[in-house]
Amino acid sequence: MRSVDLRDVAETERTVTAFAATPNGGLIVPAGGLANVHRNLIIALATRLRLPAVYPFRFHATDGGLIAYGPDSIDPHRRAASYVDRILRGEKPNLPVQAPTKYELVINLKTAKALGLDVPPTLLARADEVIE
């Protein structure tokens, strides 16, 4: 495993291309930073270079990424409503920070086909969403 710091488009292209040159390689794209800013570029490069990649949010898979696995982006907002309710009812606002509790797995079968990958039925069965 190798960690890289993406700063600009040229570096992103070099890095993804280098990962694609590694036999049996793959890419894990972390949340935040320039990985989100350049997500369309990363997705396009990974697909063009036939590099399997896992992304942190659902929108990556809907934008063409192979697999997204990460926290549900709506759930924290739903849970925050209960905190607002408790504060409005008079509770002191020193409530604990809540970690994500709901994670979602999204698989893009169109991208898998473009990469020449067969996704096992057991993985498809566990997915919260399959894009065909």
Side-chain angles (χ1 to χ4, degrees):
M1 182 191 282
R2 188 177 78 183
S3 177
V4 295
D5 187 22
L6 302 177
R7 294 184 186 91
D8 58 33
V9 172
E11 185 172 6
T12 300
E13 289 176 349
R14 281 192 306 274
T15 301
V16 174
T17 302
F19 273 102
T22 305
N24 300 317
L27 188 64
I28 299 173
V29 179
L34 290 177
N36 283 342
V37 172
H38 299 302
R39 78 173 183 258
N40 291 326
L41 173 64
I42 295 169
I43 291 168
L45 286 169
T47 302
R48 187 184 67 192
L49 298 168
R50 300 177 55 96
L51 179 66
V54 178
Y55 302 88
F57 299 112
R58 179 186 178 281
F59 60 80
H60 289 100
T62 59
D63 286 349
L66 175 61
I67 294 176
Y69 182 72
D72 181 329
S73 58
I74 303 297
D75 186 55
H77 300 290
R78 286 188 190 118
R79 291 186 297 131
S82 69
Y83 272 19
V84 170
D85 180 58
R86 289 167 63 182
I87 291 168
L88 291 176
R89 293 178 189 266
E91 192 169 331
K92 295 203 184 276
N94 59 349
L95 301 167
V97 174
Q98 294 185 3
T101 58
K102 184 178 179 188
Y103 289 79
E104 59 185 349
L105 172 64
V106 182
I107 301 171
N108 189 323
L109 285 180
K110 285 178 17 181
T111 303
K113 185 177 180 181
L115 297 175
L117 298 173
D118 292 322
V119 180
T122 53
L123 185 59
L124 290 173
R126 296 194 78 158
D128 296 293
E129 181 179 355
V130 176
I131 299 168
E132 298 197 46

